Amino acid sequence: MKQLMLGNQALARGLYEAGCQVVSSYPGTPSTEVTEEAAKYDEIYCEWAPNEKVAMEVAFGASLAGKRSFCGMKHVGLNVAADPLFTCSYTGVNGGMVICVADDAGMHSSQNEQDSRHYAVAAKLPMLEPSDSGEALEFAKCAFELSETFDTPVLIKMCTRVAHSQSIVDTKERMEHSAIPYEKNIAKYVMMPGNAIRRHPLVEERTRKLRDYAETCSFNRVEMGDPKLGIITSSTSYQYVKEVFGDEACILKLGMIHPLPEKLILDFASKVEKLVIVEELDPVIETHCKNLGLTVTGKDVLPLEGEYSQNLIAEKLGVSLPASKSLGETLPFRPPVMCAGCPHRGLFYILSKNKCTVLGDIGCYTLGAVAPLNAMEMTLCMGASISAVHGFNKALGSESEGRTVAVIGDSTFMHSGMTGLANIAYNQSNSTVIILDNSITGMTGHQQNPTTGYNIKGDPAGKIDLENLCRSMGFQRVAVADPYDLKECERILKEELAADEPSVIISRRPCALLKYVKPQPPLHVDADKCAGCKSCMRLGCPAISIKNNKAVIDATLCTGCGVCQQLCGFDALQSGEVGK
């Protein structure tokens, strides 16, 4: 049956049709929806793992047991999972194992622009790269066959545009796949040096076989047109090339991005007058072609950074697009800001007011760095805030201890924060860590995590108690604050910063966008009392603006949290209906 699907939804459908039985992932834009969609199929066990390393190890364990398994993550998540990735390349698989990594060219929701194709090369693993939803479905199914045929995990590389665009897919029924019996095999699965050294030659032989397979596989195809121009491309870049050139150029579309074919590329190059490589981010295909002795146009005219588009490709390759093909790309600027009623806003205001040095982490609370709060000075990677504040305070001692904090979300803390906190407890820096507990994984769209008490389907699950966890790790000082109560927040912050020992503050208030959080009636401004001092504007709340030198509250945005009322010295911000 033909359906219109998002790329991520189609990939999940491919997992279902292929008989996948175990899925473990950590949410991360633009990969999140693959696992959310897979969870809608009762035939597949799905879970959110605490981090990507755990997710990949769960998928490997399921594969070891003989079941087809999957794990998904964004590009920076693959950094976290790199340890098991490289070694399971040596062990190979039992049941098919597929790993999806979704890159974020353009950094729509990421701290770097990373090309995950390098992981396939470095780990010596096959990688498939779909260019639309239909291929996402089919490639997912084929990946399991490839995995079991060549005894290898298989990477599928998505990107933001393929993951979040829609195209037609042809769905079929699920094919149940019998579990492959598990057999004890110490030489294959115990990667101590004596065994691993004998596995490496097998990996190299597998790569040679996969390279031969790449020469004729269905993932790579040639579309002949005018031989004056030949373009080698992949992924979403293929779509842009087709939109610009149509059938007026010869195209070698690569769907298997590692290992790359040699004879196929040389044969294609021999049939065209000029050879152009179009690929986002790094020159992976281009370098391969140059190593084959080919003269190509690529990154000498096309950028190394950012997303491509049909407009960009046409401009860089000297093509004039008709108005019907050219897309307007100018969008109104919308600065990022924490939502109205966000529980993190009050805490960041207090940190800014007290001129604290704030080392931050990955999550929606990273927006505490933007004006007017300007309350965060470092964000590196998941969990780094806690490790960094320990190093910062060890380096500066009393010079920084009384004014420096780490902030980290509840989900990020479970992902990578616990080991950093253990380091503080063990090596005893006088550091203050603030866990921003908003009862959900907020930035990626409200996924559950080990602190919420619910699993991926919303059913009751094990729940980790943050206070008891921190105490069991050796912290004597663990305080809980309500970020809507500014005075209480400030009192607790000053007490913990003044203490001569490590401490944890848990800033606890559910995300204002959670369905069970019922907003209070919106506030309104008594214009006669408003002095136009703009104190309320220091919060950066999108529900508050200034018109005619008076504060104005947008009732469609205000959640009635009352934080702004605590800043107004004139009682101008009032609860209840206007005029009452």
Side-chain angles (χ1 to χ4, degrees):
M1 182 171 65
K2 294 188 182 299
Q3 298 183 44
L4 190 64
M5 283 189 179
L6 287 172
N8 281 346
Q9 182 184 9
L11 199 156
R13 178 69 191 192
L15 301 180
Y16 168 77
E17 292 183 12
C20 181
Q21 291 182 287
V22 175
V23 170
S24 183
S25 303
Y26 183 81
T29 306
S31 72
T32 307
E33 297 86 2
V34 178
T35 302
E36 288 181 328
E37 291 295 328
K40 295 177 181 178
Y41 298 107
D42 292 337
E43 295 89 341
I44 307 176
Y45 168 77
C46 293
E47 67 177 26
W48 290 126
N51 64 32
E52 296 87 357
K53 178 179 183 291
V54 171
M56 188 172 293
E57 291 159 352
V58 169
F60 175 76
S63 166
L64 188 67
K67 302 286 189 176
R68 288 187 165 184
S69 66
F70 171 87
C71 63
M73 61 206 69
K74 67 185 295 179
H75 61 289
V76 287
L78 193 55
N79 299 336
V80 179
D83 199 356
L85 178 78
F86 278 73
T87 303
C88 69
S89 174
Y90 273 40
T91 65
V93 301
N94 190 25
M97 178 178 172
V98 175
I99 302 158
C100 173
V101 55
D103 283 8
D104 188 17
M107 293 180 284
H108 299 282
S109 184
S110 305
Q111 66 267 40
N112 69 29
E113 209 167 28
Q114 181 177 307
D115 194 327
S116 295
R117 293 179 295 176
H118 294 295
Y119 270 111
V121 176
K124 303 179 189 295
L125 290 172
M127 175 179 273
L128 307 180
E129 193 172 21
S131 64
D132 60 24
S133 300
E135 287 189 346
L137 190 157
E138 290 303 321
F139 284 18
K141 294 166 68 174
C142 293
F144 284 109
E145 299 294 335
L146 202 62
S147 175
E148 290 165 358
T149 299
F150 288 92
D151 190 17
T152 180
V154 175
L155 289 157
I156 294 180
K157 177 182 171 292
M158 300 286 278
C159 67
T160 300
R161 293 302 165 191
V162 176
H164 290 162
S165 63
Q166 296 185 76
S167 59
I168 297 294
V169 302
D170 191 6
T171 61
K172 296 179 175 62
E173 295 300 315
R174 176 177 171 89
M175 297 293 292
E176 294 296 343
H177 188 80
S178 299
I180 300 172
Y182 167 71
E183 294 181 4
K184 182 177 179 179
N185 190 338
I186 292 174
K188 186 177 192 292
Y189 294 119
V190 180
M191 284 300 96
M192 56 188 182
N195 291 337
I197 200 168
R198 286 187 285 272
R199 292 294 300 176
H200 189 187
L202 299 178
V203 173
E204 300 300 340
E205 176 61 22
R206 180 181 72 200
T207 301
R208 285 189 285 270
K209 290 179 180 178
L210 282 163
R211 187 172 291 114
D212 290 340
Y213 173 80
E215 301 289 356
T216 58
C217 71
S218 61
F219 304 116
N220 303 327
R221 69 173 184 265
V222 174
E223 301 173 4
M224 293 305 293
D226 189 337
K228 290 181 180 179
L229 177 63
I231 299 174
I232 303 178
T233 187
S234 67
S235 186
T236 190
S237 295
Y238 165 77
Q239 304 292 353
Y240 303 143
V241 165
K242 290 294 287 185
E243 288 168 358
V244 172
F245 294 98
D247 298 327
E248 296 175 6
C250 298
I251 298 173
L252 171 53
K253 192 266 186 190
L254 297 171
M256 186 171 186
I257 210 64
H258 183 76
L260 288 166
E262 296 180 2
K263 295 176 183 178
L264 179 63
I265 289 175
L266 290 170
D267 179 66
F268 178 78
S270 70
K271 297 175 180 177
V272 300
E273 296 177 19
K274 181 181 180 180
L275 191 60
V276 177
I277 312 300
V278 180
E279 56 185 325
E280 286 184 336
L281 300 183
D282 295 341
V284 174
I285 302 172
E286 181 177 341
T287 299
H288 178 72
C289 290
K290 288 179 176 178
N291 288 340
L292 295 176
L294 297 173
T295 299
V296 303
T297 296
K299 295 302 179 183
D300 51 335
V301 297
L302 291 163
L304 280 162
E305 64 281 339
E307 281 190 303
Y308 287 1
S309 67
Q310 55 268 61
N311 289 9
L312 181 144
I313 289 172
E315 175 193 347
K316 298 298 182 182
L317 297 184
V319 177
S320 296
L321 282 180
S324 60
K325 285 189 176 182
S326 181
L327 295 181
E329 295 180 353
T330 302
L331 298 174
F333 179 66
R334 181 189 178 194
V337 64
M338 287 184 285
C339 304
C342 176
H344 306 321
R345 179 174 283 106
L347 176 75
F348 279 120
Y349 171 77
I350 293 300
L351 292 171
S352 179
K353 176 185 175 184
N354 285 272
K355 296 180 170 56
C356 290
T357 298
V358 182
L359 306 187
D361 228 291
I362 306 297
C364 47
Y365 49 88
T366 309
L367 292 169
V370 303
L373 294 167
N374 302 311
M376 189 181 293
E377 301 176 37
M378 187 282 291
T379 299
L380 184 65
C381 64
M382 301 282 276
S385 61
I386 299 178
S387 306
V389 78
H390 171 78
F392 196 85
N393 286 335
K394 281 294 185 183
L396 296 178
S398 59
E399 182 183 340
S400 66
E401 291 170 347
R403 59 180 177 82
T404 304
V405 302
V407 296
I408 186 169
D410 52 338
S411 181
T412 308
F413 177 73
M414 298 309 304
H415 179 287
S416 295
M418 289 185 287
T419 47
L421 199 68
N423 190 43
I424 291 176
Y426 177 53
N427 288 306
Q428 286 292 295
S429 64
N430 183 12
S431 299
T432 298
V433 174
I434 304 176
I435 301 174
L436 306 171
D437 182 6
N438 65 350
S439 305
I440 205 69
T441 308
M443 190 174 189
T444 49
H446 285 182
Q447 290 78 32
Q448 304 296 336
N449 68 65
T451 71
T452 66
Y454 298 95
N455 65 17
I456 192 171
K457 291 181 177 291
D459 298 328
K463 181 177 182 179
I464 291 177
D465 186 307
L466 287 174
E467 294 96 307
N468 286 332
L469 174 62
C470 294
R471 291 190 181 100
S472 70
M473 294 179 76
F475 284 79
Q476 303 301 314
R477 302 185 65 91
V478 180
V480 178
D482 180 354
Y484 278 3
D485 188 336
L486 298 183
K487 287 184 179 179
E488 182 70 359
C489 265
E490 188 166 21
R491 180 189 67 78
I492 291 173
L493 175 68
K494 288 180 175 179
E495 282 183 4
E496 300 311 318
L497 286 174
D500 192 25
E501 61 178 305
S503 61
V504 174
I505 300 171
I506 300 172
S507 175
R508 178 169 288 144
R509 169 70 68 161
C511 172
L513 299 183
L514 284 169
K515 292 180 180 178
Y516 68 81
V517 175
K518 303 301 180 185
Q520 298 298 312
L523 305 181
H524 66 274
V525 177
D526 186 332
D528 293 335
K529 292 184 177 180
C530 179
C533 67
K534 301 180 182 177
S535 292
C536 54
M537 296 296 291
R538 287 182 288 171
L539 290 170
C541 177
I544 308 174
S545 59
I546 297 291
K547 293 181 181 178
N548 300 322
N549 205 36
K550 298 285 186 178
V552 177
I553 292 179
D554 185 339
T556 64
L557 294 177
C558 179
T559 65
C561 70
V563 173
C564 59
Q565 288 179 296
Q566 299 169 58
L567 271 63
C568 181
F570 302 95
D571 193 30
L573 305 176
Q574 298 182 356
S575 305
E577 296 181 22
V578 178
K580 289 188 178 181

